[in-house]
C-alpha cells in the first residue's frame, strides 16, 4: 500500500497538484491522509477542498480550517493570518463549511494516529520541543504518530536511551525513515502549501506499507502562479513573499 501524507496545504492548489503528480508518478496511490490546515493563507480554498475530496483524502482539522468556519477564534492569529481567515470565510460554500465542521481532530489509520498539532492540544500545540513531544507520545496509543502545524518536516524517536526520553530530527528531501513496531515515532511531513524550513519546495511524505518506510519528498511547483492569485485576491503581500523563501 502506498499512502501520500500531506499537511498544511493552505489553499495552494498549484503546490497540491505538483505533489499529487509527483506521488502518482512513482505508482498508484492507495490513499491520501491529510493533517489539517487545508485552507487559510492561500488563494484557492474551494479548489483545494474539491481536489482533496476528489482524491478521497482522510483529513483531520487544523486551526485555520476551524477558524474559517468560526469554530475557533482568530484572537491568537497574527494580523496577516487573521485577514486571510476572514477572506477565506467569505469564499467558502455551504458544502465546504459542512465538510470542515464534520472533520475529526484525531483519526487513526493503520498503525498511525493523525492529528494537526499534538495529542495534548490537537489544533494548537506546535510539536517542536521535547516537552511537547513527550506530552504527545504519552497519549499516542499507536506505534506511529503523524502531525503537521509547524510546517517543518521532522522525526521524533522515542527511546529511553536518549537523556530526555526522545529526540527530534529534521528531515530533508529523500530522507527515508524505517518503521518498526517496536520503535515509537512521530513524523511530520512538512507543509505542501507554505514550507517554513527555508526550502520553498512543497513538502510531503509517502508511507509504503510493504517496504515499512516513511519517505520525505520535496517538489518544485509554480510559486509565481500562486503569488499572482494571492495578489489578485487582495491578500496580505507577506503571504505571497514568504512562499519564495520558504519562511
Ligand atoms: Zn498551517
Amino acid at each position: 500500500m502506498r499512502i501520500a501524507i500531506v499537511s498544511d496545504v493552505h489553499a495552494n492548489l498549484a503546490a497540491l497538484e505538483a505533489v499529487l503528480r509527483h506521488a502518482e508518478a512513482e505508482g498508484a496511490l492507495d490513499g491520501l491522509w491529510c493533517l489539517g490546515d487545508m485552507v487559510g493563507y492561500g488563494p484557492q480554498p474551494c479548489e483545494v477542498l474539491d481536489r482533496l475530496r476528489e482524491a478521497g483524502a482522510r483529513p483531520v482539522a487544523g486551526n485555520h480550517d476551524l477558524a474559517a468556519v468560526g469554530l475557533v477564534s482568530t484572537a491568537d492569529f497574527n494580523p496577516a493570518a487573521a485577514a486571510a481567515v476572514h477572506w477565506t470565510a467569505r469564499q467558502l460554500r455551504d458544502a465546504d463549511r459542512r465538510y470542515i465542521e464534520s472533520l475529526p481532530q484525531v483519526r487513526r489509520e493503520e498503525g498511525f494516529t493523525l492529528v494537526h498539532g499534538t495529542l495534548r492540544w490537537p489544533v494548537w500545540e506546535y510539536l517542536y520541543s521535547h516537552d511537547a513531544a513527550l506530552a504527545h507520545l504519552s497519549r499516542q496509543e499507536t506505534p506511529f504518530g503523524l502531525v503537521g502545524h509547524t510546517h517543518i518536516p521532522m522525526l521524533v524517536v522515542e527511546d529511553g536511551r536518549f537523556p530526555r526520553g526522545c529526540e527530534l530530527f529534521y528531515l530533508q528531501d529523500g530522507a527515508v525513515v524505517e518503521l518498526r513496531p517496536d520503535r515509537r515515532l512521530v513524523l511530520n511531513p512538512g507543509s505542501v502549501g507554505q514550507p517554513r524550513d527555508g526550502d520553498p519546495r512543497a513538502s510531503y511524505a509517502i508511507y509504503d506499507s510493504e517496504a515499512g518506510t516513511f519517505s520525505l519528498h520535496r517538489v518544485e511547483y509554480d510559486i509565481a502562479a500562486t503569488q499572482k492569485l494571492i495578489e489578485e485576491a487582495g491578500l496580505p503581500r507577506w503571504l505571497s513573499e514568504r512562499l519564495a523563501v520558504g519562511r
Side-chain angles (χ1 to χ4, degrees):
M1 224 173 39
R2 284 179 82 244
I3 309 281
I5 305 163
V6 300
S7 190
D8 299 276
V9 178
H10 281 298
N12 186 340
L13 184 67
L16 177 62
E17 293 286 13
V19 157
L20 293 176
R21 266 196 308 276
H22 187 271
E24 284 162 354
E26 300 284 309
L29 285 177
D30 301 298
L32 177 63
W33 298 344
C34 178
L35 307 176
D37 279 6
M38 295 178 270
V39 302
Y41 295 131
Q44 292 182 287
C46 299
E47 293 85 344
V48 160
L49 290 171
D50 283 345
R51 188 70 182 89
L52 288 169
R53 275 177 295 204
E54 176 196 308
R58 313 268 294 160
V60 291
N63 53 320
H64 283 259
D65 304 317
L66 298 182
V69 297
L71 285 176
V72 302
S73 151
T74 55
D76 292 330
F77 283 58
N78 69 55
V85 164
H86 297 129
W87 180 88
T88 301
R90 293 197 298 276
Q91 314 304 313
L92 295 181
R93 304 153 296 188
D94 285 344
D96 300 324
R97 274 186 282 276
R98 283 196 300 274
Y99 176 70
I100 290 173
E101 285 162 6
S102 75
L103 296 175
Q105 294 193 358
V106 178
R107 129 177 261 148
R108 283 203 200 170
E109 300 284 344
E110 316 291 321
F112 293 81
T113 304
L114 285 60
V115 67
H116 183 60
T118 70
L119 289 171
R120 176 161 63 178
W121 293 309
V123 297
W124 290 114
E125 189 172 31
Y126 292 95
L127 204 166
Y128 54 39
S129 67
H130 291 85
D131 168 65
L134 291 171
H136 172 96
L137 280 161
S138 72
R139 291 162 174 83
Q140 181 177 299
E141 295 172 3
T142 54
F144 314 117
L146 294 170
V147 302
H149 196 38
T150 64
H151 297 210
I152 294 175
M154 199 178 257
L155 162 69
V156 179
V157 180
E158 182 185 56
D159 191 326
R161 285 173 293 185
F162 292 124
R164 283 180 282 188
C166 72
E167 206 45 79
L168 286 62
F169 305 92
Y170 292 115
L171 294 176
Q172 273 155 11
D173 188 20
V176 178
V177 179
E178 189 194 343
L179 304 171
R180 301 194 322 246
D182 62 336
R183 189 178 68 152
R184 278 153 48 83
L185 307 175
V186 189
L187 298 142
N188 185 325
S191 167
V192 170
Q194 196 196 79
R196 291 183 192 160
D197 61 348
D199 182 343
R201 294 178 296 173
S203 188
Y204 81 103
I206 292 277
Y207 163 51
D208 184 326
S209 65
E210 270 143 60
T213 55
F214 170 103
S215 56
L216 192 93
H217 304 275
R218 302 304 286 257
V219 185
E220 284 184 22
Y221 73 96
D222 191 348
I223 292 173
T226 296
Q227 289 178 313
K228 184 162 177 282
L229 291 173
I230 288 175
E231 275 148 42
E232 285 170 8
L235 285 160
R237 176 172 284 272
W238 177 60
L239 298 178
S240 159
E241 290 166 352
R242 66 188 305 179
L243 293 181
V245 290
R247 292 287 180 199

